[in-house]
């Protein structure tokens, strides 16, 4: 998938645009607050890039650095509501549209992201 969407350079672009949306749109406010309650913001862009490279079938930077890619373990320290997952999904979909990820790839990726995001919901 990583090559189909444009390689690591596209993943960088996607991650940066996604977090630009998170940091500037009202829909991203709760997600921003989660990061601030957790490990802060400094690490999120590079770690999201590292994770998504492996997630998309490229080099597994996140796994090399942390020894796993277990989403539940990564997010265990924060409360995630269904609305938070839906906001994350909506902003990621928008970021993919706005960075030129093709519809076919976006549809496949979003189906996988939806399954993953919903497994992270742990709060009301």
């Amino acid at each position: 998938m990583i090559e189909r969407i444009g390689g690591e350079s596209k993943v960088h672009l996607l991650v940066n645009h996604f977090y630009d949306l998170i940091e500037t749109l009202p829909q991203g406010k709760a997600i921003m607050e989660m990061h601030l309650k957790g490990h802060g913001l400094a690490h999120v862009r590079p770690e999201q890039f590292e994770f998504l490279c492996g997630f998309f079938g490229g080099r597994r930077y996140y796994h090399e650095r942390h020894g796993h890619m277990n989403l539940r373990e990564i997010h265990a320290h924060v409360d995630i509501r269904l609305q938070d997952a839906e906001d994350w999904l909506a902003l990621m979909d928008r970021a993919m549209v706005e960075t030129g990820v093709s519809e076919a790839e976006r549809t496949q990726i979003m189906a996988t992201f939806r399954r993953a995001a919903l497994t992270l919901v742990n709060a009301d």
Side-chain angles (χ1 to χ4, degrees), residues 30-95:
I31 299 166
M32 274 280 292
E33 289 173 1
M34 275 188 260
H35 285 299
L36 293 172
K37 287 179 190 172
H39 302 297
L41 290 174
H43 77 289
V44 295
R45 290 176 192 239
E47 288 201 1
Q48 180 81 286
F49 166 77
E50 290 176 356
F51 185 88
L52 288 181
C53 281
F55 188 84
F56 291 149
R59 184 165 171 188
R60 294 170 47 109
Y61 297 107
Y62 191 93
H63 185 270
E64 291 171 13
R65 203 178 219 328
H66 300 283
H68 70 88
M69 289 183 61
N70 183 319
L71 280 173
R72 293 189 99 175
E73 185 176 330
I74 293 166
H75 295 90
H77 64 283
V78 291
D79 291 336
I80 299 173
R81 301 168 302 133
L82 178 58
Q83 187 59 55
D84 302 325
E86 293 294 348
D87 289 344
W88 190 98
L89 290 163
L91 291 172
M92 179 55 79
D93 189 55
R94 178 173 171 175

Side-chain angles (χ1 to χ4, degrees), residues 82 85-86 88-90 108-120:
L82 178 58
E86 293 294 348
W88 190 98
L89 290 163
Q108 184 178 350
I109 291 166
M110 287 307 297
T112 303
F113 278 167
R114 174 162 291 286
R115 284 191 303 275
L118 295 179
T119 68
L120 298 178

Side-chain angles (χ1 to χ4, degrees), residues 5-52:
I5 65 169
E8 287 188 7
S9 62
K10 179 67 88 166
V11 177
H12 266 296
L13 183 66
L14 174 62
V15 167
N16 283 326
H17 190 62
F18 173 70
Y19 278 103
D20 289 346
L21 295 173
I22 293 279
E23 292 173 9
T24 59
L25 295 178
Q27 195 172 17
K29 185 176 187 227
I31 299 166
M32 274 280 292
E33 289 173 1
M34 275 188 260
H35 285 299
L36 293 172
K37 287 179 190 172
H39 302 297
L41 290 174
H43 77 289
V44 295
R45 290 176 192 239
E47 288 201 1
Q48 180 81 286
F49 166 77
E50 290 176 356
F51 185 88
L52 288 181

